[in-house]
Amino acid sequence: MISSSLHLIKRVSTLAPKFPRLPTRLVNGRVSPAENGYIDSFSLLNSEKSIEELIQQPLPQGIDDHLFEFSEALRSESLAVAKALRRVTEGKASAQAEAAEWKRKYELERARNLQLEPKGGHCSDLNVERTGNFEDRTVLSDENSDQCKLCSGKDDISAHEVLRDGESDTESSAIPNKMMRKASFKLSWYCKGEKCNRHKHDIVSFEKGNITTAERSSKQISLKWESPPQTVLILTKPNSNSVRILCLEMVRWLKEQKKLNIFVEPRVKSELLTESSCYNFVQTWLDEKDVLLLHTKVDLIVTLGGDGTVLWAASMFKGPVPPIVPFSLDSEHYREYLTSILRGPISITLRHRLQCHIIRDEAKSEYENEGTMLVLNEVTIDRGISSFLTNLECYCDESFVTCVQGDGLILSTTSGSTAYSLAAGGSMVHPQVPGILFTPICPHSLSFRPLILPEHVTLRVVVPFNSRSHAWVSFDGKGRKQLGPGDALVCSMAPWPVPTACQLDSTCDFLRSIHDGLHWNLRKTQSLDGPPS
Ligand SMILES: NC(=O)c1ccc[n+]([C@@H]2O[C@H](COP(=O)([O-])OP(=O)(O)OC[C@H]3O[C@@H](n4cnc5c(N)ncnc54)[C@H](O)[C@@H]3O)[C@@H](O)[C@H]2O)c1
Ligand SMILES: Nc1ncnc2c1ncn2[C@@H]1O[C@H](COP(=O)(O)OP(=O)(O)OP(=O)(O)O)[C@@H](O)[C@H]1O
């Protein structure tokens, strides 16, 4: 793409004397690869603008046919260059986002290794690899995992090693800091009911030239408190009387019987105080800045409501998320259940999220683009109020996937596979399968089947310049934004999953939810009597 652009730029340079109105920025060849191999995105965008200006300019008067034909050809090639330049800029923005993410992972890993170092000299020799998944953060070779055990004397990952974010400066925060040290916990991996005796294994072994897989997916994860949880955040579905009553009861019980600090939303605090002034021990926050610090204070989140309340809880945390205990409204036995959660260990499901950002065609640099959105279910690109088919060009990494002509496209997590994606004909996928579902909405084609792509890919959905209408993006069914021609949505797996407490384990809970919640494959049992076979 870059080389064809440069080829055209050379051609344009040779024409410069004949066309004095050509922009000198382009003609002088300032669009050149930088030393690091990238093209400077600002000059790219300037060049793109210049090309577009050039296209808009009227042709000089008195031009002969030959020149006219030539200038027409130049116009169409210039358009191609403008598109190519835009793609390069998009690619750079996405590469920079990825680089920032790797840097963050590297710093987290380094902090963790620094903690291990004093316990034994060998740990610095650990063969540490990084993958995109929270549960796959540290992949140790077999011999090194034994060494690590000698060094650290433990098989599990401790919260202190994983979450080093309790040190934020909270002086300016409205959230009081006293008694706010987060409880620590350990995570361990279970397989068929047995605790794995190693910290983490090689994903693929190639001993003696034979390739065997040791780890295929994340195992059942168990969370064990190392110190008792002290702070609970309760989030409730609004406008529900039964939820309000359950909340009143639960807050009082958690304070009186469990001596916990309790956070609620400002709306809920007002509701509690309207009920009685004795609820003034309940804490809340003032603004978004305080919400950003919540994950450093809260040990556990309890949601009172349905799936939408869990989505709401997840959306409040733009980074790490404390474990969520979802309560449906018919939870009569909340006391026993919460007592067992506070005692631990808890089986948890790490639900992957997708990170999405919109790249605007007119943005001059990536800083002008909107911030990253995290979704637990899905991001949807649809036709909104337009009556035309969507026309969406889709790319997976740098490969063209397809063009979606229909009502739209859903990019879903495996947790979201039982939500909108299911309604659009996507498969239901166990939430611990790390993948991204690519599900069209009412495609106007006989052969468009949904796909499931691996978790490590980056997807890009572009509204082409020849699209008849705009498209609309929504995140977990909320926050609709318009995408104009040339705008793109870039989406990849986020490094911060949502840990949710299981009632039994993630597989039993998943099967129960599709049986009870969706009545999956419910059919009258066939009677025994019938025609002979
Ligand atoms: N045609 C559809 O099925 C359709 C259309 C729009 C949105 N949705 C879903 O609604 C979600 C937003 O939920 P909301 O509660 O804010 O809106 P809402 O109040 O409209 O509820 C949507 C329904 O989807 C269910 N749901 C949500 N997430 C689910 C999941 N992961 N598995 C199974 N069921 C799930 C909820 O229980 C609820 O019954 C979106 O993320 C989208 O998945 C579905
Ligand atoms: N704390 C909250 N603040 C604002 N909105 C919320 C909050 N909790 C939930 N919601 C919104 O309220 C709506 C309904 O919530 P929820 O899905 O939990 O209830 P439901 O529809 O009765 O349950 P179910 O998902 O089982 O059908 C959702 O759109 C959700 O985004």
Side-chain angles (χ1 to χ4, degrees):
M1 202 67 86
I2 296 173
S3 67
S4 70
S5 318
L6 291 174
H7 168 71
L8 184 76
I9 288 160
K10 272 190 200 153
R11 283 187 54 192
V12 172
S13 311
T14 59
L15 288 168
K18 296 180 199 161
F19 292 93
R21 294 180 71 179
L22 284 177
T24 52
R25 211 181 307 111
L26 189 63
V27 173
N28 292 342
R30 280 209 214 148
V31 182
S32 61
E35 274 171 20
N36 63 5
Y38 282 110
I39 287 183
D40 169 52
S41 61
F42 196 72
S43 52
L44 278 178
L45 283 157
N46 279 340
S47 313
E48 192 180 344
K49 257 209 149 69
S50 310
I51 290 172
E52 275 163 8
E53 277 166 16
L54 169 67
I55 295 162
Q56 304 306 326
Q57 285 172 17
L59 286 171
Q61 280 178 356
I63 198 158
D64 63 24
D65 284 353
H66 175 72
L67 268 180
F68 181 79
E69 205 175 288
F70 183 79
S71 68
E72 279 302 298
L74 188 58
R75 262 176 215 261
S76 72
E77 286 214 51
S78 302
L79 265 176
V81 175
K83 272 192 185 172
L85 291 173
R86 185 174 50 74
R87 291 228 169 101
V88 172
T89 317
E90 274 175 27
K92 194 185 166 200
S94 125
Q96 280 175 341
E98 203 172 318
E101 181 46 35
W102 278 107
K103 188 168 168 241
R104 194 196 64 78
K105 281 186 191 165
Y106 165 77
E107 275 163 6
L108 211 65
E109 204 71 69
R110 204 170 132 255
R112 184 176 163 275
N113 288 341
L114 280 175
Q115 278 204 331
L116 283 172
E117 259 170 21
K119 295 177 192 159
H122 295 302
C123 278
S124 56
D125 297 336
L126 290 178
N127 173 16
V128 178
E129 289 175 23
R130 292 173 191 84
T131 72
N133 289 337
F134 180 79
E135 69 270 37
D136 288 339
R137 292 177 72 260
T138 316
V139 183
L140 305 173
S141 69
D142 289 357
E143 54 189 280
N144 282 344
S145 80
D146 287 335
Q147 255 185 7
C148 178
K149 263 193 264 176
L150 286 173
C151 298
S152 65
K154 53 190 175 181
D155 294 329
D156 314 312
I157 289 188
S158 157
H160 291 312
E161 295 161 29
V162 177
L163 305 169
R164 279 176 53 88
D165 37 24
E167 306 124 17
S168 323
D169 171 22
T170 53
E171 271 173 28
S172 56
S173 155
I175 302 174
N177 208 14
K178 61 178 167 58
M179 303 288 289
M180 283 294 174
R181 285 203 67 80
K182 274 191 71 149
S184 76
F185 56 81
K186 274 183 181 176
L187 297 181
S188 49
W189 280 257
Y190 282 73
C191 183
K192 294 187 189 124
E194 300 282 315
K195 188 176 175 188
C196 293
N197 58 0
R198 286 182 303 178
H199 183 88
K200 204 76 181 110
H201 315 242
D202 276 345
I203 288 177
V204 177
S205 143
F206 43 92
E207 213 176 301
K208 294 183 191 147
N210 298 323
I211 300 174
T212 47
T213 48
E215 296 275 332
R216 283 174 208 93
S217 69
S218 52
K219 304 252 186 308
Q220 179 60 58
I221 296 161
S222 175
L223 181 152
K224 191 165 180 244
W225 299 111
E226 286 185 316
S227 59
Q230 296 185 34
T231 306
V232 175
L233 165 65
I234 302 179
L235 294 172
T236 64
K237 174 172 90 162
N239 305 324
S240 161
N241 211 29
S242 49
V243 164
R244 198 182 53 79
I245 292 167
L246 181 59
C247 179
L248 284 170
E249 244 186 82
M250 196 181 274
V251 167
R252 194 182 276 251
W253 180 78
L254 284 172
K255 185 69 191 173
E256 287 171 3
Q257 303 298 317
K258 302 294 175 186
K259 314 281 179 249
L260 292 175
N261 305 309
I262 294 157
F263 275 98
V264 294
E265 291 167 275
R267 163 184 58 82
V268 179
K269 176 143 191 183
S270 315
E271 281 172 17
L272 292 172
L273 288 177
T274 313
E275 209 62 41
S276 159
S277 59
C278 75
Y279 285 105
N280 61 10
F281 62 84
V282 171
Q283 298 174 53
T284 189
W285 52 89
L286 287 178
D287 52 30
E288 280 298 303
K289 212 173 91 216
D290 289 341
V291 175
L292 289 177
L293 292 174
L294 266 181
H295 72 281
T296 64
K297 323 274 179 195
V298 168
D299 295 317
L300 208 59
I301 303 168
V302 171
T303 60
L304 304 183
D307 296 315
T309 312
V310 177
L311 294 176
W312 181 265
S315 73
M316 285 178 57
F317 293 84
K318 315 289 179 207
V321 191
I324 298 182
V325 184
F327 267 98
S328 59
L329 305 186
D330 49 7
S331 300
E332 291 161 19
H333 307 293
Y334 75 87
R335 291 182 187 82
E336 297 84 37
Y337 184 49
L338 276 184
T339 303
S340 80
I341 295 278
L342 293 169
R343 192 189 317 118
I346 318 169
S347 281
I348 56 171
T349 303
L350 289 185
R351 295 178 184 276
H352 300 284
R353 290 196 283 181
L354 296 176
Q355 56 189 7
C356 318
H357 54 271
I358 293 174
I359 297 181
R360 298 283 174 200
D361 182 47
E362 74 266 17
K364 290 197 176 50
S365 74
E366 64 265 35
Y367 303 109
E368 283 189 18
N369 289 310
E370 292 125 82
T372 303
M373 296 292 294
L374 292 168
V375 293
L376 177 54
N377 267 354
E378 77 286 287
V379 55
T380 307
I381 308 105
D382 60 34
R383 64 188 172 83
I385 53 165
S386 160
S387 50
F388 296 116
L389 293 180
T390 58
N391 181 3
L392 305 170
E393 275 176 17
C394 306
Y395 299 84
C396 177
D397 294 330
E398 284 316 305
S399 306
F400 176 71
V401 181
T402 193
C403 193
V404 179
Q405 297 187 86
D407 279 0
L409 174 71
I410 300 167
L411 301 177
S412 169
T413 62
T414 44
S415 288
S417 70
T418 46
Y420 197 3
S421 170
L422 166 80
S427 194
M428 293 193 288
V429 189
H430 188 297
Q432 278 186 297
V433 177
I436 305 178
L437 283 78
F438 183 97
T439 313
I441 310 170
C442 297
H444 196 240
S445 143
L446 294 175
S447 52
F448 197 161
R449 296 298 176 99
L451 298 177
I452 303 177
L453 296 162
E455 42 84 32
H456 57 80
V457 299
T458 297
L459 294 164
R460 189 161 56 93
V461 181
V462 187
V463 179
F465 287 103
N466 63 357
S467 176
R468 278 200 192 177
S469 63
H470 288 70
W472 293 83
V473 191
S474 52
F475 306 91
D476 283 340
K478 295 203 171 4
R480 261 186 179 290
K481 288 183 177 174
Q482 203 175 33
L483 287 188
D487 292 347
L489 176 89
V490 178
C491 176
S492 60
M493 195 77 97
W496 305 285
V498 176
T500 54
C502 300
Q503 291 196 336
L504 290 166
D505 61 52
S506 57
T507 303
C508 291
D509 284 12
F510 171 65
L511 293 175
R512 190 197 281 183
S513 76
I514 62 172
H515 284 131
D516 296 353
L518 299 169
H519 296 174
W520 179 59
N521 195 24
L522 200 64
R523 186 196 184 277
K524 187 167 83 69
T525 308
Q526 200 175 32
S527 64
L528 190 60
D529 50 346
S533 55

